[in-house]
Amino acid sequence: MPFLGQDWRSPGQSWVKTADGWKRFLDEKSGSFVSDLSSYCNKENLFNSLNYDVAAKKRKKDILNSKTKTQYFHQEKWIYVHKGSTKERHGYCTLGEAFNRLDFSTAILDSRRFNYVVRLLELIAKSQLTSLSGIAQKNFMNILEKVVLKVLEDQQNIRLIRELLQTLYTSLCTLVQRVGKSVLVGNINMWVYRMETILHWQQQLNNIQITRPAFKGLTFTDLPLCLQLNIMQRLSDGRDLVSLGQAAPDLHVLSEDRLLWKKLCQYHFSERQIRKRLILSDKGQLDWKKMYFKLIRCYPRKEQYGDTLQLCKHCHILSWKGTDHPCTANNPESCSVSLSPQDFINLFKF
């Protein structure tokens, strides 16, 4: 460190060996330091400003991408279905892609679409689970969880979901045993955990205690018999008729009505199918109730849904019924064909 009175030589400068010279030296050095510090701070501020701009642009880009993905998966309620690749169009639509893009999470909240989605989940669980991608399989489980939570809250369609969970669990038991053969996507422990979750859901459904609402008005049994029969004729599942007959002795008598079971058989099955499964009662009459339960073991029942997916034959766009899509046909409604859950599955079999 320099001492007072020591000669200082600096390029373009000379200092007097006095206290005044030392003071001038310190003042200039201090000013230079402040100037350098100010310059450094300005550079650092500029650097931080540039970083902030870059970060702001990145956040803006992420938000845009996020909005784009949201629009791609949720706002567009339709999907273009094509089965091959051409020079103008690369790739093809898969079952997993359609399952991800069509808004099934919202569809289960609509009572008209609920049974349709449940039936579709059941068909996928039976034979198409391995054809889904990893994301689609995860989406499948998420939708299934929402279905179970809805049933636990509403206490409706309990038997339907029990059957769905049992079908899925049986399929997973078979698939997990074949692990290592590229059957399921993901770690085996993850699928074991999902199977445990399914068992937990089944236990929750079995523990549901349906309480009778505190309603003092007109009930079903208070209606005239003709109205009760008219309502019962609108039930398309014979198991619902049996359950209804177990609710009260009077309803049990109505649920055994031969004409009721005859109409149910004729609704679901053709005359040829019915003739092949004739069953006579002890009184020598056709036992339509026994015939119905025998027929459903041999033939598929007629499916009826309040709302379905539809395919536009003109532009090959798949969407929910009543959903607008960019169709160039003069009359788009005339080009739309309703698809059953099995038709939806068959659409992606190449």
Side-chain angles (χ1 to χ4, degrees), residues 36-78:
D36 293 342
L37 181 61
S38 176
S39 176
Y40 173 78
C41 291
N42 290 335
K43 291 180 180 179
E44 186 176 8
N45 291 336
L46 179 61
F47 179 76
N48 291 336
S49 178
L50 291 175
N51 283 343
Y52 178 80
D53 292 341
V54 172
K57 290 180 180 179
K58 186 176 183 302
R59 284 196 300 270
K60 185 177 180 181
K61 183 178 180 181
D62 291 341
I63 293 174
L64 180 62
N65 290 338
S66 178
K67 289 182 179 179
T68 302
K69 291 178 182 179
T70 302
Q71 179 182 3
Y72 183 80
F73 283 103
H74 300 288
Q75 293 184 6
E76 291 182 357
K77 309 293 184 179
W78 50 268

Side-chain angles (χ1 to χ4, degrees), residues 34-273:
V34 173
S35 177
D36 293 342
L37 181 61
S38 176
S39 176
Y40 173 78
C41 291
N42 290 335
K43 291 180 180 179
E44 186 176 8
N45 291 336
L46 179 61
F47 179 76
N48 291 336
S49 178
L50 291 175
N51 283 343
Y52 178 80
D53 292 341
V54 172
K57 290 180 180 179
K58 186 176 183 302
R59 284 196 300 270
K60 185 177 180 181
K61 183 178 180 181
D62 291 341
I63 293 174
L64 180 62
N65 290 338
S66 178
K67 289 182 179 179
T68 302
K69 291 178 182 179
T70 302
Q71 179 182 3
Y72 183 80
F73 283 103
H74 300 288
Q75 293 184 6
E76 291 182 357
K77 309 293 184 179
W78 50 268
I79 182 172
Y80 183 78
V81 180
H82 47 93
K83 295 187 176 182
S85 300
T86 64
K87 293 181 180 179
E88 297 80 12
R89 186 176 61 236
H90 296 283
Y92 55 90
C93 181
T94 63
L95 175 62
E97 183 181 357
F99 189 78
N100 286 334
R101 291 186 55 181
L102 294 172
D103 196 8
F104 289 105
S105 296
T106 305
I108 61 175
L109 303 178
D110 190 336
S111 58
R112 300 171 302 169
R113 300 175 179 177
F114 181 83
N115 289 351
Y116 186 94
V117 176
V118 171
R119 176 57 178 166
L120 181 59
L121 293 176
E122 184 180 7
L123 292 176
I124 293 176
K126 281 183 177 179
S127 60
Q128 300 297 320
L129 193 60
T130 56
S131 65
L132 301 181
S133 63
I135 296 177
Q137 289 179 1
K138 183 178 180 180
N139 191 22
F140 176 91
M141 295 302 299
N142 291 337
I143 295 175
L144 180 61
E145 181 180 10
K146 293 181 180 179
V147 169
V148 173
L149 293 178
K150 183 179 184 300
V151 172
L152 290 175
E153 181 181 358
D154 299 342
Q155 295 187 346
Q156 298 178 6
N157 301 300
I158 298 176
R159 184 185 67 244
L160 189 65
I161 305 308
R162 282 177 181 168
E163 295 174 354
L164 169 61
L165 293 178
Q166 185 59 41
T167 299
L168 178 59
Y169 187 82
T170 303
S171 298
L172 288 179
C173 287
T174 304
L175 295 175
V176 167
Q177 293 176 358
R178 298 166 56 191
V179 66
K181 300 181 181 180
S182 301
V183 177
L184 293 173
V185 178
N187 189 281
I188 181 63
N189 296 327
M190 176 185 66
W191 285 102
V192 172
Y193 172 77
R194 288 174 175 174
M195 293 175 66
E196 293 174 351
T197 303
I198 294 173
L199 291 177
H200 177 66
W201 289 339
Q202 289 178 323
Q203 187 64 36
Q204 286 181 305
L205 292 175
N206 292 332
N207 294 336
I208 289 181
Q209 298 293 333
I210 301 178
T211 57
R212 186 169 184 173
F215 181 70
K216 298 181 180 180
L218 190 67
T219 63
F220 182 76
T221 54
D222 295 331
L223 297 174
L225 293 180
C226 59
L227 289 181
Q228 293 183 29
L229 277 174
N230 191 5
I231 294 175
M232 296 174 73
Q233 288 175 0
R234 299 177 186 276
L235 297 177
S236 60
D237 194 334
R239 293 171 297 180
D240 294 332
L241 281 177
V242 174
S243 299
L244 185 60
Q246 295 172 351
D250 294 340
L251 294 178
H252 176 72
V253 176
L254 291 179
S255 66
E256 296 294 328
D257 184 77
R258 292 182 62 253
L259 183 60
L260 195 64
W261 288 100
K262 178 181 179 180
K263 290 184 176 180
L264 194 60
C265 289
Q266 293 175 343
Y267 173 76
H268 285 288
F269 309 106
S270 64
E271 291 293 332
R272 182 179 179 183
Q273 293 172 339

